[in-house]
Amino acid sequence: MKKITIALLLTFCFNGFSQNEKKESQTFKQNEVKINALYLVFGAFESTYERSLNESSAIGTSIGFSIDNQNDIKNAIAFTPHYRFYFGKKPVSGLFMEGFAVYEKLKDKNEHYYYSPESGETNLYKEKVTIYGLGIGLGGKWYTSKNIVFEINGGFGRNVSIESNVQYFRNYTRYNARIGISAGYRF
């Protein structure tokens, strides 16, 4: 009887210690904000917010817009929600795989003339385009003991819908890409 009682007490003790360790590992910081430094080089700004669902997955969204008016696009804004699954040993870090969606609006800063064969008229327009897309990506994320986050990611997708305010719009690509070298803070 003594042996059974001691065995039960030891089982409860080990179970109690393992539960304490599990609680400690679940107290990681669950929110992040990041800025994509690579986009700044290309004349755009992208900021990302990400929320951890558990130790191996997270959801987030990025918002980006053009800040360089050197090209033909006057206003461009993109909204990109994503879901990520992490393979690292630390919570929400290491190698990850993501699925993402893209909503993008573009406005041409130049006025163009086009001839409409139906009406026989030449019209002046400023093109406005809306793009919807889906894609997948890979990347890696690391963070320091001071909760500074570094991330490198890339992805490829397909634009499932391209809508324009003119009938004869430019030949926009049916593919989209997502690339980033980001730094931020985990809180």
Side-chain angles (χ1 to χ4, degrees), residues 29 90 142-150 185-186:
K29 309 282 186 185
K90 292 182 180 180
W142 306 269
Y143 62 94
T144 68
S145 60
K146 302 281 186 191
N147 295 316
I148 304 297
V149 178
F150 299 99
Y185 184 72
R186 181 177 279 190

Side-chain angles (χ1 to χ4, degrees), residues 1-179:
M1 188 70 174
K2 268 185 174 181
K3 290 181 184 179
I4 294 174
T5 306
I6 291 173
L8 287 172
L9 285 174
L10 286 175
T11 303
F12 289 122
C13 288
F14 285 123
N15 191 19
F17 285 124
S18 67
Q19 287 177 353
N20 286 341
E21 289 176 18
K22 194 171 186 178
K23 284 182 182 177
E24 288 176 17
S25 69
Q26 290 178 349
T27 60
F28 62 94
K29 309 282 186 185
Q30 293 184 307
N31 301 294
E32 292 177 11
V33 289
K34 298 174 282 217
I35 293 176
N36 189 342
L38 187 61
Y39 275 30
L40 293 172
V41 174
F42 294 126
F45 176 83
E46 182 185 59
S47 179
T48 302
Y49 170 78
E50 188 172 305
R51 170 85 177 166
S52 303
L53 299 174
N54 55 42
E55 291 186 1
S56 61
S57 65
I59 57 172
T61 187
S62 299
I63 187 160
F65 52 88
S66 63
I67 55 177
D68 184 8
N69 286 330
Q70 298 293 326
N71 54 19
D72 288 343
I73 305 299
K74 180 179 178 185
N75 295 329
I77 189 163
F79 176 71
T80 310
H82 63 264
Y83 170 81
R84 291 181 174 169
F85 185 81
Y86 290 88
F87 300 99
K89 293 180 182 177
K90 292 182 180 180
V92 194
S93 67
L95 180 69
F96 64 81
M97 193 166 75
E98 75 174 0
F100 63 89
V102 176
Y103 169 76
E104 193 171 6
K105 287 191 82 74
L106 309 170
K107 188 187 294 183
D108 196 334
K109 75 177 183 180
N110 299 318
E111 294 181 337
H112 300 278
Y113 291 96
Y114 79 97
Y115 174 75
S116 173
E118 288 93 27
S119 66
E121 297 177 359
T122 301
N123 295 311
L124 182 67
Y125 72 94
K126 282 190 176 188
E127 187 176 23
K128 296 175 187 174
V129 180
T130 303
I131 298 171
Y132 302 94
L134 297 171
I136 58 172
L138 294 173
K141 183 193 299 187
W142 306 269
Y143 62 94
T144 68
S145 60
K146 302 281 186 191
N147 295 316
I148 304 297
V149 178
F150 299 99
E151 178 180 298
I152 297 173
N153 69 316
F156 185 75
R158 176 123 168 109
N159 293 329
V160 293
S161 173
I162 301 173
E163 301 168 1
S164 176
N165 64 330
V166 296
Q167 185 177 0
Y168 301 101
F169 59 90
R170 296 181 204 182
N171 189 13
Y172 291 97
T173 180
R174 291 307 248 168
Y175 303 99
N176 63 54
R178 179 171 163 83
I179 187 167

